[in-house]
Amino acid sequence: MYYIFGFLLVLLSASCFGIMGILAKYAYAANITIGTLLFFRFFFAAVLFWSLILFKKIPFQLRFKQISILFMMGTGGYALMAILLFTSFSLLPVSLASTAYYLYPLFVMILNSMFSKQLFEKSHSVSIIFSLLGLYFVLGAEFNQINIIGLMSSVGCAVLYSVYIILTEKIQGEINVYISSAFVTSFASISIFIFSMFRQDVNLNFHASGWLSVLGISFFSTFLAILTFAKGIERIGSSKAALLSIFEPIITVLFSYLLFHESLGRSQKFGIFLILLSALLTNIGWKKISLTNKHAKSIFYEETTRNIRK
């Protein structure tokens, strides 16, 4: 149940992140600029996290090194990731930019194998192949128009996100998830505000209906998404959480179909099938690990009992 709950938490996070593009579409229709949307996204999320900390009366006393890591996760993580991703969207077809961005599960596993000495499992390697092929069919990537800067921006965003995921796992034993999320979103909102002011991209002259999209993105696609993802990592680890996050574009496609009546082609249905298959393979890997751990504990218990009897 522990792993299954972690599985569900990451899926909920992926769903919340997946609807962000849908909510952003409504926000843009209300004449909200990218800078304004990103600033309020992180600002309101930070307010929610700090309110939760005050409500729960969670004490915290962070060292300078810990604050520095959270600062990097907020500015060099979420803030810079958002800027790079939207830059790639402006220079590349959205399908190609998204496909390049969702290479981050591969980067997570590579970085984990390099620095944490975690070995690739066969089920994970096959899952990556199926998930990337599935993304290709779901997003319908067009490779005939490639802008190098746009491609580098998208891949750079994937690399940054993989580092962010690993850092999230590293600090969880030291910093409360509510505290870390509050600092990260606060640093992100400040850096986005400075960047947007420099570009003169902050504008409050938009339709009142746009606030619904802003609040939706702030609560569901930021506050709840970050919280459930961090809680999910506690239970299943960063590599598996990254693989399951591949469900984000599926959620986007499904909601586009339901809300905007965008039809699903055969290739998109086939892509969804491949991604579901990749999640199944990942889940099989968890069960093997769980059974192995139980077997190891059983052997340890038997050996300990024998030694006591002797």
Side-chain angles (χ1 to χ4, degrees), residues 36-295:
T36 304
L37 181 60
L38 290 177
F39 165 68
F40 280 120
R41 173 197 176 189
F42 292 115
F43 174 77
F44 286 131
V47 171
L48 288 171
F49 277 118
W50 286 115
S51 299
L52 187 62
I53 292 169
L54 292 175
F55 177 77
K56 287 181 169 289
K57 298 180 180 179
I58 301 173
F60 66 93
Q61 187 174 1
L62 302 180
R63 300 188 302 272
F64 177 77
K65 181 180 179 181
Q66 293 174 323
I67 295 177
S68 299
I69 293 174
L70 295 176
F71 176 79
M72 288 188 294
M73 291 174 66
T75 56
Y78 262 105
L80 187 54
M81 279 191 297
I83 294 169
L84 287 175
L85 191 58
F86 279 98
T87 299
S88 67
F89 284 156
S90 66
L91 299 174
L92 291 174
V94 175
S95 56
L96 177 56
S98 299
T99 302
Y101 166 68
Y102 280 101
L103 287 171
Y104 72 80
L106 177 61
F107 293 132
V108 170
M109 290 192 172
I110 291 174
L111 291 173
N112 271 331
S113 64
M114 289 174 60
F115 299 107
S116 300
K117 297 182 180 180
Q118 294 182 12
L119 297 177
F120 277 97
E121 297 176 22
K122 290 182 180 179
S123 61
H124 291 171
S125 301
V126 176
S127 294
I128 289 176
I129 295 173
F130 279 138
S131 61
L132 292 178
L133 283 175
L135 281 173
Y136 174 82
F137 285 107
V138 168
L139 299 171
E142 301 175 0
F143 294 96
N144 58 340
Q145 297 177 348
I146 298 179
N147 182 289
I148 299 299
I149 296 177
L151 185 61
M152 290 178 62
S153 297
S154 186
V155 174
C157 181
V159 173
L160 283 175
Y161 192 42
S162 64
V163 174
Y164 177 88
I165 290 173
I166 293 172
L167 286 175
T168 299
E169 185 178 30
K170 296 293 184 184
I171 66 172
Q172 281 181 338
E174 303 177 5
I175 308 174
N176 181 281
V177 64
Y178 303 117
I179 301 297
S180 61
S181 299
F183 272 98
V184 167
T185 50
S186 297
F187 286 135
S189 65
I190 294 171
S191 57
I192 285 289
F193 179 76
I194 294 173
F195 180 79
S196 299
M197 288 296 291
F198 179 76
R199 295 189 60 187
Q200 298 181 346
D201 195 33
V202 176
N203 184 11
L204 299 180
N205 295 323
F206 55 84
H207 196 273
S209 62
W211 285 111
L212 293 176
S213 299
V214 169
L215 293 175
I217 290 176
S218 299
F219 179 78
F220 292 106
S221 301
T222 309
F223 172 74
L224 188 59
I226 292 175
L227 185 61
T228 52
F229 188 71
K231 289 290 186 180
I233 287 179
E234 288 180 355
R235 290 165 173 79
I236 64 176
S238 58
S239 295
K240 297 181 182 68
L243 279 172
L244 285 174
S245 296
I246 217 77
F247 272 87
E248 292 173 25
I250 292 185
I251 298 298
T252 304
V253 171
L254 290 177
F255 271 88
S256 296
Y257 172 74
L258 293 173
L259 297 176
F260 305 128
H261 305 290
E262 296 179 359
S263 60
L264 293 173
R266 291 183 179 179
S267 62
Q268 290 176 314
K269 292 177 181 178
F270 181 62
I272 290 175
F273 168 75
L274 288 177
I275 296 175
L276 290 174
L277 183 60
S278 73
L280 178 62
L281 290 173
T282 306
N283 194 27
I284 290 173
W286 298 345
K287 289 180 179 179
K288 287 182 179 179
I289 293 171
S290 180
L291 290 173
T292 301
N293 290 338
K294 287 180 180 179
H295 180 65

